[in-house]
Amino acid sequence: MESLQTLPPPSHLSPSALSFLDHRFHTQCALADAPNFVSELQTQCAELDRALDELTRRLGEGLAAYASFSGEIHGLFGHVTDRLAALSSTVVPDGGRGKADGKGFKEELAALAKEVARLETVRVYAETALKLDTLVGDIEDAVSFTMSKSMRKHSSSQNSQEMHMLAIKTLKTTEGILASITKAHPQWKQLVSAVDHRVDRALAILRPQAIAEHRALLTSLGWPPPLSAFTSSNSDARNVNQVSNPLLSMQADLKLRYSENFFALCNLQELQRKRKVRQLEGHDREVALRQPLWVIEELVNPLSLASQRHFSKWIDKPEFIFTLVYKITRDFVDSMDELLQPLVDEAMLLGYSCREEWISAMVTSLTTYMAKEIFPSYISQLDEESATGTQSSARISWLHLIDLMIAFDKRIKSLVENSGVLLSFDDDDIMQKISSLAIFSDRPDWLDLWAEIELDDALYKLKLDIQNENYWVKKVEGAVLSSYTDDYKSPLISNSFLRHLASVIDRCRSLPRVSLRSKFLRLVGLPIIRNFFDSILIRCQEAEGLTALTDDDAVLKVTISVNAAHYFESVIKEWSEDVFFLEMGMGEDDEAGMESSANIYEGLPESSRRVIFDDEIKKLEEFRTEWVEKISLVILRGFDALSRDYMKNKKHWQKGEEGWTVSKALVEALNYLQSKTSVVEVGLNARDFVGVWRSLAAGIDRLLFNGILMSNVKFHRSGVDRFGNDLDVLFGVFGSWCLRPEGFFPKTSEGQKLLKLGKNEVEECKAGAKKWLKENGLRHLSETEAEKILKNRVFTS
């Protein structure tokens, strides 16, 4: 019984030992049989020790045999290699039979070398497979350890964390071997696939366990903090952080546990990233490689769930939702840089910024809630109003929501840029993560709806301006929306359209992807431009239909529309040179083959799939050219009608007209020309007026040349002087707009020069017309035309 007295106190025994003793010695009588029971246990222990010793011996013999066999194989391969090296240097004897034997011997050597290489490959394969099997077995053991209920119940969290780290370390070693196999032995696909299958099963258990432990640790730290901290009236955000941020108030032991847990999750994520890199080799890696940072997601998810209880009360007041999300994001963003970023860097998790990941995760949680709750609610309101035909308060709410989203994105962007990262519109990946408007990437139908509401709102406001005649009469003062200093004499209506277009472009800039910006601008911006074009075209057509532009008021009405078109065209041309539109054009080409852009241009004309404003600019240019030509043509027709008698009278070129410096028949036509051009000059902008008077000059040049010089009129000396005086007066009308007006009447001016030639010069010209014309700088007349003019010159003795 002495042995029974040596038992330790019950408190020092394990629960399983106590249970065993209670079961064996449950009565007083059972104690009498204790010596026999002790002897029986000693016998069983001795047998187990002998069995263990035998297993240890056999394991040692097996390992020694394997080591001996492996060494022997290495020795044999080394011996074969030496023999092959010696044989390769042996010269086969000459002679016909010797050559044949030598050839056969070489073939046998080649076959032997192949077999040796095959054996070497088999050996390497077997060793690699054995090593991988051992590693995967260790991984599975570690995972099983963490799953064991008894171990979870009676072991410390430290042991569990150590097993997690051991499993991750073994996983990294396994992944390194698999990566080397993929590069060195791509034919071993079955081996890699089998190992991947077992590793995937282990990871499917390990990751949820690691995340569950991380969540439990966060809960013990007091995360998430109460949302009341974010509604504090204290304007000092740093003071709020110090009070309410559990991450900053951790004690040393908790901070160590959190860091270890943090490293475990980061290492596990980096391991999965490397596995994806290997598995997606040769494919589009970007599809799956970039994942949010798991540790940040675990911070955001409980905050998001807590916030949504408040969001549900604010569906009709979304400004509160955006304010709360921004305040939470801002108040914790600095701690992400100060506390978590060093841990991420230490974990060597490349390409991750905790600041960006925190902001991105918060924005993603917001957009997820909006997609599930807010937008469906607003769309149902729009559907109800559409069915009842009531005034669109829902549309106003929609536009207000978009305004809030744009303002929120600007504030969020400033938080990112505070880290020193300057964002541009080509940072689509970053913009997509930090923009609430990214919701339209997944729901293009909502983007279409927004564009429709935005366009209807703009066109409704513009309709009122179009109907206001003051907007067509009053001029734009200064280059309000353009850097050009030219005075286009543009009416206010063009500025009104441009302001609305600029507003659409500003809203479009907030969209996170080039394809979204392009689509939105085509759905809203281009229809606004087309509406402007239709408005000025209708006014011109009305003016033309009433008086065929013979009335000064009608002409001025057309000049106002031309001025508006020119100003509008110059502004959107200048805008098109901005990098925003250049990137948009390049982005369309880059994304032409992507599925995401397949439906972007549905319902849009093929011709609009180029640089965004090209078609509209071309239409405005053609509009200006057409109506400038019409103004010129109307004036030219009036001049032609009034100068018809002047053209038909062939006799007055044979004698002068005393007391007149200009022909009486031409005076009325010249007065008409001067008065009409003066009206146009007052009403039309300077650039387009140049087109008017140049077109007029070209038309009058054709009239005079064909109607007089080519009409077989006989010119005497007095008639030549008279014709010269008439041209001088005509050139004087155009002299206000150029220094050498005769240069714009090339054929008439050169015809007059021929008429002024003396008799001898005329003969010289007739003798060598082509050469003479060239030498004397008459390049606009053909030989035939020159001969005809000289033929009509009459010289009196």
Side-chain angles (χ1 to χ4, degrees):
M1 298 296 290
E2 263 181 33
S3 61
L4 294 177
Q5 295 174 358
T6 61
L7 284 173
S11 61
H12 291 182
L13 296 176
S14 68
S16 58
L18 286 172
S19 176
F20 173 76
L21 292 172
D22 289 341
H23 176 73
R24 187 71 184 182
F25 303 108
H26 59 282
T27 63
Q28 187 70 27
C29 297
L31 291 174
D33 196 36
N36 295 331
F37 179 62
V38 170
S39 177
E40 183 184 342
L41 286 177
Q42 289 174 344
T43 303
Q44 290 179 3
C45 287
E47 290 177 354
L48 289 174
D49 287 338
R50 284 194 298 273
L52 181 59
D53 290 340
E54 177 63 19
L55 289 174
T56 304
R57 184 186 62 79
R58 289 174 59 188
L59 178 61
E61 290 177 354
L63 291 174
Y66 175 78
S68 175
F69 174 75
S70 178
E72 185 179 350
I73 290 295
H74 276 293
L76 288 174
F77 277 128
H79 182 63
V80 169
T81 303
D82 294 339
R83 290 287 304 275
L84 289 175
L87 286 171
S88 64
S89 62
T90 302
V91 180
V92 180
D94 291 337
R97 184 174 177 81
K99 289 181 179 178
D101 292 343
K103 183 177 181 181
F105 183 66
K106 287 182 178 180
E107 291 176 354
E108 290 178 4
L109 282 179
L112 177 61
K114 288 182 180 179
E115 183 64 17
V116 170
R118 188 183 70 80
L119 289 173
E120 176 68 13
T121 302
V122 171
R123 184 189 66 80
V124 173
Y125 183 90
E127 290 182 350
T128 304
L130 180 61
K131 186 174 182 179
L132 285 171
D133 183 65
T134 303
L135 289 170
V136 174
D138 292 343
I139 295 168
E140 292 170 341
D141 289 343
V143 172
S144 298
F145 175 85
T146 58
M147 288 184 64
S148 172
K149 291 183 179 179
S150 60
M151 296 306 297
R152 287 204 306 270
K153 183 176 180 181
H154 302 294
S155 65
S156 67
S157 60
Q158 182 67 26
N159 291 334
S160 179
Q161 185 65 30
E162 288 176 357
M163 292 304 293
H164 276 154
M165 294 302 295
L166 177 62
I168 293 171
K169 183 178 179 181
T170 310
L171 280 166
K172 285 185 174 181
T173 304
T174 305
E175 181 57 33
I177 296 174
L178 291 176
S180 64
I181 291 174
T182 302
K183 294 179 180 179
H185 304 284
Q187 69 275 19
W188 295 357
K189 292 181 181 178
Q190 294 297 329
L191 174 61
V192 174
S193 177
V195 174
D196 273 341
H197 179 66
R198 293 176 65 183
V199 170
D200 286 338
R201 286 189 303 178
L203 284 173
I205 299 171
L206 189 60
R207 179 186 173 185
Q209 288 178 347
I211 289 177
E213 288 190 6
H214 189 75
R215 289 175 180 173
L217 179 59
L218 287 176
T219 302
S220 68
L221 294 175
W223 188 273
L227 292 182
S228 58
F230 301 102
T231 59
S232 171
S233 59
N234 190 344
S235 60
D236 188 348
R238 292 192 176 275
N239 289 339
V240 174
N241 284 344
Q242 292 172 1
V243 172
S244 63
N245 190 345
L247 299 179
L248 296 177
S249 59
M250 288 187 292
Q251 299 300 320
D253 56 337
L254 283 177
K255 191 169 186 179
L256 178 62
R257 281 183 58 198
Y258 181 78
S259 299
E260 291 176 347
N261 204 282
F262 190 98
F263 285 141
L265 268 186
C266 287
N267 287 329
L268 194 57
Q269 183 168 6
E270 177 64 9
L271 172 68
Q272 289 218 2
R273 187 194 69 82
K274 289 181 177 179
R275 285 174 57 78
K276 288 292 183 182
V277 169
R278 173 176 57 80
Q279 292 170 350
L280 294 175
E281 187 71 37
H283 299 82
D284 186 6
R285 298 183 183 183
E286 296 302 323
V287 173
L289 290 188
R290 183 68 190 188
Q291 292 185 343
L293 202 55
W294 295 349
V295 288
I296 299 297
E297 281 190 324
E298 294 308 315
L299 291 173
V300 170
N301 289 339
L303 266 176
S304 176
L305 291 174
S307 300
Q308 287 179 14
R309 290 192 289 271
H310 295 272
F311 292 171
S312 59
K313 307 172 187 176
W314 299 336
I315 296 294
D316 296 329
K317 295 182 178 180
E319 58 270 19
F320 294 161
I321 296 176
F322 289 103
T323 300
L324 179 59
V325 173
Y326 175 74
K327 188 162 176 42
I328 294 173
T329 306
R330 182 201 63 192
D331 287 352
F332 284 106
V333 72
D334 289 337
S335 65
M336 299 299 145
D337 274 342
E338 297 167 5
L339 180 64
L340 301 188
Q341 188 62 48
L343 298 179
V344 169
D345 295 340
E346 189 175 345
M348 300 185 69
L349 203 59
L350 303 179
Y352 283 97
S353 163
C354 285
R355 172 181 282 267
E356 290 179 20
E357 292 298 320
W358 166 256
I359 294 172
S360 171
M362 289 298 299
V363 172
T364 300
S365 69
L366 171 64
T367 55
T368 301
Y369 182 80
M370 291 172 63
K372 290 181 179 179
E373 302 294 338
I374 298 180
F375 272 88
S377 172
Y378 278 52
I379 290 172
S380 64
Q381 294 177 26
L382 288 169
D383 291 340
E384 289 176 7
E385 290 193 351
S386 177
T388 58
T390 56
Q391 191 62 30
S392 181
S393 61
R395 289 175 173 252
I396 296 174
S397 299
W398 179 285
L399 293 176
H400 177 59
L401 175 62
I402 298 297
D403 289 338
L404 292 173
M405 294 172 71
I406 292 173
F408 174 80
D409 286 354
K410 289 179 179 178
R411 299 175 78 187
I412 288 294
K413 184 180 176 184
S414 68
L415 286 181
V416 177
E417 291 180 339
N418 283 343
S419 64
V421 178
L422 295 178
L423 301 179
S424 64
F425 289 105
D426 59 346
D427 298 322
D428 274 3
D429 292 336
I430 298 178
M431 296 293 291
Q432 180 78 10
K433 293 193 302 179
I434 66 169
S435 172
S436 62
L437 293 171
I439 194 171
F440 295 113
S441 297
D442 298 325
R443 294 302 301 264
D445 55 325
W446 291 354
L447 181 67
D448 294 342
L449 182 57
W450 173 25
E452 179 187 340
I453 294 172
E454 197 78 45
L455 179 61
D456 289 346
D457 180 66
L459 293 182
Y460 174 77
K461 294 175 181 175
L462 286 169
K463 184 179 180 181
L464 300 177
D465 294 344
I466 292 172
Q467 294 172 350
N468 188 345
E469 195 61 30
N470 286 332
Y471 274 78
W472 295 95
V473 176
K474 293 182 179 179
K475 300 292 189 295
V476 175
E477 295 182 2
V480 180
L481 296 170
S482 171
S483 62
Y484 292 117
T485 57
D486 295 357
D487 181 12
Y488 291 99
K489 302 180 180 179
S490 176
L492 287 178
I493 190 65
S494 59
N495 227 32
S496 180
F497 271 91
L498 285 169
R499 280 200 309 272
H500 283 283
L501 182 59
S503 174
V504 168
I505 292 172
D506 286 341
R507 293 165 81 77
C508 168
R509 289 177 187 273
S510 300
L511 287 165
R513 299 195 71 84
V514 170
S515 58
L516 296 178
R517 296 194 285 270
S518 177
K519 182 179 181 181
F520 183 80
L521 204 51
R522 292 179 185 281
L523 291 174
V524 186
L526 296 190
I528 290 176
I529 299 177
R530 290 167 190 155
N531 187 264
F532 170 76
F533 179 82
D534 292 341
S535 300
I536 58 176
L537 179 61
I538 288 172
R539 288 181 67 87
C540 288
Q541 290 173 340
E542 289 175 350
E544 184 183 34
L546 290 174
T547 63
L549 301 184
T550 56
D551 182 66
D552 287 350
D553 290 339
V555 171
L556 288 175
K557 195 171 185 179
V558 172
T559 60
I560 289 173
S561 294
V562 172
N563 293 340
H566 202 153
Y567 177 65
F568 197 96
E569 173 197 331
S570 67
V571 173
I572 61 175
K573 268 185 178 179
E574 183 180 3
W575 288 353
S576 297
E577 296 172 0
D578 189 89
V579 66
F580 171 76
F581 296 100
L582 297 178
E583 288 175 346
M584 195 178 296
M586 291 186 292
E588 289 174 20
D589 295 336
D590 295 340
E591 298 185 7
M594 294 178 59
E595 272 189 3
S596 60
S597 63
N599 297 322
I600 286 176
Y601 300 109
E602 279 187 7
L604 296 175
E606 184 71 20
S607 61
S608 67
R609 301 186 188 186
R610 297 194 301 274
V611 178
I612 194 76
F613 292 140
D614 269 5
D615 289 343
E616 280 57 42
I617 290 174
K618 185 177 180 181
K619 286 180 181 178
L620 290 170
E621 289 176 344
E622 292 173 349
F623 169 84
R624 289 192 300 106
T625 302
E626 177 185 354
W627 287 95
V628 163
E629 286 293 333
K630 284 188 177 183
I631 292 173
S632 301
L633 186 59
V634 167
I635 298 175
L636 186 62
R637 285 175 179 172
F639 180 85
D640 182 30
L642 294 174
S643 63
R644 198 158 297 163
D645 292 339
Y646 175 76
M647 303 283 188
K648 289 182 178 179
N649 189 351
K650 298 182 179 180
K651 293 182 179 180
H652 63 180
W653 304 117
Q654 298 175 11
K655 58 181 179 179
E657 194 170 16
E658 294 182 4
W660 289 85
T661 57
V662 62
S663 300
K664 287 189 292 183
L666 187 61
V667 171
E668 187 178 2
L670 290 173
N671 286 337
Y672 170 83
L673 176 66
Q674 190 165 23
S675 64
K676 283 293 182 182
T677 51
S678 297
V679 170
V680 175
E681 184 179 15
V682 169
L684 196 60
N685 68 84
R687 291 194 178 191
D688 286 315
F689 179 67
V690 171
V692 170
W693 70 255
R694 285 188 176 184
S695 178
L696 271 176
I700 294 174
D701 183 46
R702 288 192 300 272
L703 282 177
L704 295 177
F705 184 76
N706 294 323
I708 298 176
L709 297 179
M710 292 287 105
S711 63
N712 295 320
V713 174
K714 301 298 181 181
F715 280 90
H716 291 254
R717 183 69 219 177
S718 57
V720 172
D721 293 339
R722 184 176 186 175
F723 185 62
N725 293 335
D726 292 344
L727 290 182
D728 288 341
V729 176
L730 176 64
F731 294 161
V733 174
F734 289 87
S736 302
W737 312 307
C738 58
L739 294 176
R740 292 184 63 257
E742 60 273 13
F744 297 94
F745 298 82
K747 288 193 172 245
T748 304
S749 297
E750 291 183 1
Q752 182 197 15
K753 289 180 181 179
L754 288 179
L755 291 176
K756 287 182 176 181
L757 295 178
K759 190 173 184 179
N760 294 333
E761 292 174 313
V762 168
E763 294 302 326
E764 290 179 7
C765 181
K766 288 181 178 180
K770 185 176 182 180
K771 182 179 178 182
W772 191 92
L773 290 173
K774 186 176 181 181
E775 290 176 350
N776 286 272
L778 305 180
R779 304 180 184 278
H780 296 90
L781 295 178
S782 65
E783 294 180 50
T784 304
E785 291 170 341
E787 289 177 0
K788 191 171 184 179
I789 293 172
L790 292 175
K791 184 179 179 182
N792 292 326
R793 178 68 169 92
V794 178
F795 292 96
T796 56
S797 55

